[in-house]
Amino acid sequence: MAKEMQHSSMHLEQADLEGNEHGTGTHKNLDDDGRPKRTGTWVTASAHIITAVIGSGVLSLAWAIAQLGWVAGPVILMAFSCITFFTSTLLADSYRSPDPVTGRRNYTYMDAVRANLGGRKVQLCGLAQYVNLIGITIGYTITASISMVAVKRSNCFHKHGHHVKCNISNYPYMIIFACIQIILSQIPNFHKLSWLSVLAAVMSFAYSSIGLGLSIAKVAGGGHARTSLTGTAVGVDVTPAQKVWKSFQAIGNIAFAYAFSTVLIEIQDTIKSSPPENKAMKRASFVGILITTLFYVLCGSVGYAAFGDDAPGNFLTGFGFYEPFWLIDFANVCIAVHLIGAYQVFSQPVFSFVEKNCHQKWPETKFITREHAINIPFFGVYYLNSFRLVWRTVYVIVTAVVAMIFPFFNDFLGLIGAASFWPLTVYFPVEMYIARTRMRKFSLPWTWLNILSFACLIVSLVAAAGSIEGLVNSLKKYKPFQSVQ
């Protein structure tokens, strides 16, 4: 009997130890917050970061470096990389509050801002995030339609020769893209379709690698593209004013390529708690950003070497390459497939935000709350919500119409990058770090952090100015709903 009691006691002690190790004394498969045990590591987090970063931003890097030249282009790319890595380490410590190792978890970027800063800054963070998300969905509509058109033009060039203009309107393809998004947006539990995110990630790697490979082949083939230390030549390619504005816009394009800070907290929420999440996340950020930067430098530099100062705004749709046409078609199909999935990833938080607030404000309104069960053959029961159907459809239509009015790839990407870089990548991580560490005002670390934040604000403002100037100039010679590519 004593032996059985001793065995039972040892068993209970072992169970308690297992529970404490996993943050709960009730179930070893739950974490300290009662959610299913997280199993991610710095390796999986690195993979998430790489797939989140490498996307349509890579398409404009050759053009950006062409505006800045061999010196400023790679230097600015590296500067954005270093700043992004530094602020991501600050953000990693904001996942738990108040202590970065044992504090309460923050599941989203806004949760972290609420826990560390609170007040009006939470609203400003929400405004910055949702404006950025809406801008990205508009930008993706533009980019996807350009890629769809590029497939048609590539076949036209192959059939009729490179001297033929092959002008094709973007608008039918924007409408096709919008129709696909209207259907996909009606899936109520889209976050469960993880396979679509995996497919999107594979597509982004595929088209980026194809673009890089074609650029290397073009350079190896002995092309004589004109390049220089300062990029596009004043008086030859651009006027002095254009040189300044396009350089500012190029900075915005590079900023867009690194616009992924808003998902870092969510990525960190997948990491197991031992070793501490912030330690694993800092390592993941270093590896993820290092690999991404090497890829960006290769794509931008090799793309510039291939095309020179005449680098197209989008190096896969600007037809610096004509052959092999089937490979260019495949790359552009990959872009379109990637952006179909990515559109939903970025629009779902907007959908959820509006629907959640409407449910809270009008809980008795049946139009908003009632779910209609519809039996679909080979699918099962689908629950149709009238408000979700109308609101999400209207959102997709509005983003498509805005994309039709402003279908300018580089200008729009530069504006999104400029608008999101300072507040989301720099300002809030720095402010949360200062608040959490109770840093003394005007101390040396406080001063340097604020200098960094102010410098990045200036960079974002000039990048936004360059992109807005580009949009204004493009609109002067553009007729909405009439012009063709």
Side-chain angles (χ1 to χ4, degrees), residues 104-123:
R104 185 179 59 82
R105 297 174 188 267
N106 298 307
Y107 302 114
T108 65
Y109 193 105
M110 200 181 294
D111 286 344
V113 173
R114 185 178 290 109
N116 289 283
L117 299 175
R120 193 164 293 277
K121 287 182 179 177
V122 180
Q123 296 172 333

Side-chain angles (χ1 to χ4, degrees), residues 174-188:
M174 287 189 182
I175 293 169
I176 291 169
F177 184 80
C179 290
I180 294 169
Q181 295 305 334
I182 287 171
I183 294 168
L184 290 178
S185 66
Q186 298 308 315
I187 300 173

Side-chain angles (χ1 to χ4, degrees), residues 303-376:
Y304 180 43
F307 299 117
D309 295 337
D310 296 324
N314 179 329
F315 80 155
L316 278 174
T317 63
F319 288 94
F321 312 112
Y322 288 96
E323 300 292 342
F325 80 100
W326 59 268
L327 187 59
I328 295 162
D329 287 355
F330 178 71
N332 282 294
V333 168
C334 287
I335 294 173
V337 172
H338 168 224
L339 296 182
I340 286 170
Y343 183 103
Q344 287 298 318
V345 170
F346 284 97
S347 61
Q348 286 295 320
V350 182
F351 295 158
S352 300
F353 175 77
V354 171
E355 288 158 19
K356 182 181 176 183
N357 279 277
C358 288
H359 273 77
Q360 290 175 348
K361 194 167 184 179
W362 299 289
E364 304 300 324
T365 306
K366 292 181 179 178
F367 174 73
I368 294 174
T369 59
R370 179 177 287 178
E371 300 275 346
H372 304 277
I374 300 174
N375 195 8
I376 301 175

